[in-house]
Amino acid sequence: MTSVDSDAKTVIFMSVDIVDSTSFKEKGHRLDDDPLWLDAFETFFKEVPLVLMGQIAKAFAMTDDLPDIGVWKVIGDEIVFRAQARSAEEALLITEAFYRTVVTYDASFVERWPLRIRGCCWAARFPGRNIEFGIPEMAGVGYIDYLGPDVDLGFRLISQADRGQVILSMNLAEALAALPERRGMQFHYVDRKVLRGVFLGRPYPLILVTLPDCMPELWQWEENESQQLRTLHDEPPIDAVALVELASRIRTYLNRTCRLSIKLLEF
Amino acid sequence: MQISVKTTNEVKVLAFEGRLDTQTSPDALQQLTRLIEEGETKILVNLEKVDYISSAGLRVLLVVAKQLKATDGELRICSLNEVVKEVFDISGFDLILPISASESEALEGF
């Protein structure tokens, strides 16, 4: 394992996966034994990265440069992208592009298969609590890996997102909420949950992001079935100032109780 | 990934052949950026013989389009085959970059 870059950087990770894919895969085979789910999964893996790049192009239409962004890894039915954000403003545009990708692709995907998708967007600072490194066996293909508690967090957090939703890590939500101009982005504090292996079992806030011009389409039964979706539908978004204050209090609490020294996300 | 370069009416025409993906994109970007640094302002990329273009390949085209725009230049794309056309349709890049059906049509547009 070799460290690849000592320069400080903030990486935004974006994970998108298919909800309830395990039960869908159990549903049977064609007569020729091709699994019925194969088309759906092939389409998902092919199309989502392309749709995201299209949304990146739109979000960054007025900028002179583009972030370094691409697929980091594919795990089962999950695609994880990584993008280096050089400022909170860039992080906002990346998050917006990812959110629009999840919501628009969810709507088109469910028209073709009885499947929904969901996403998670989180941020980690390197180096420090987290490290970026190369694996000698995969040096030829330029594969870079990331490890650390802030990286692991997202993989726990995505399971908390519901159909068509994008959930944010607290550090990213705080950085975006602190921006004076947020391109209409709204935040919803819908719950808090204990995430396995995260912050020594302390509850972690679940914050969803939405854009009023691009809301996920939900069936009534989906809202009835999920407390999180009912909260999203019934409660107004949390005020940005209140979210920044909430995140600050939670960070102080986690630092004290878990003996950590987590700081405000830097770029 | 093979890239052949020629000049027609002050336009650098690059014909890509093979896959433009995560592995080949860095080289493609390097070649295109070098042309811009040498002062080229009109670049046409012919994608007729491209087997597949991934999101990393789309990013290269977008970065180059932005680099050229900053120098009052222009990137045009031409001759999309069926596979590449589908990628552009899915991503929405057919509405983002100027695309021509053929090289001659693209050259007329500069």
Side-chain angles (χ1 to χ4, degrees), chain B residues 2-59:
Chain B
Q2 304 263 329
I3 302 177
S4 61
V5 185
K6 65 179 181 183
T7 306
T8 309
N9 300 336
E10 298 181 346
V11 177
K12 280 285 174 195
V13 181
L14 282 77
F16 287 17
E17 191 172 346
R19 285 178 64 91
L20 184 57
D21 57 19
T22 308
Q23 287 200 42
T24 58
S25 288
D27 280 348
L29 180 59
Q30 199 175 23
Q31 286 199 45
L32 284 156
T33 301
R34 194 183 308 133
L35 287 174
I36 296 166
E37 286 169 355
E38 287 168 1
E40 299 296 341
T41 56
K42 295 174 181 175
I43 294 179
L44 172 61
V45 174
N46 185 328
L47 297 176
E48 186 178 7
K49 292 183 178 170
V50 167
D51 300 325
Y52 187 71
I53 180 163
S54 74
S55 61
L58 292 177
R59 182 181 176 274

Side-chain angles (χ1 to χ4, degrees), chain A residues 72-83:
Chain A
W72 169 30
K73 61 169 78 180
V74 171
I75 315 162
D77 58 359
E78 183 176 1
I79 309 171
V80 188
F81 300 91
R82 55 115 198 91

Side-chain angles (χ1 to χ4, degrees), chain A residues 225-245:
Chain A
E225 197 179 72
S226 161
Q227 173 64 43
Q228 189 184 104
L229 296 180
R230 276 204 306 277
T231 306
L232 181 71
H233 184 265
D234 297 341
E235 303 288 331
I238 183 170
D239 177 69
V241 174
L243 176 57
V244 171
E245 286 172 2

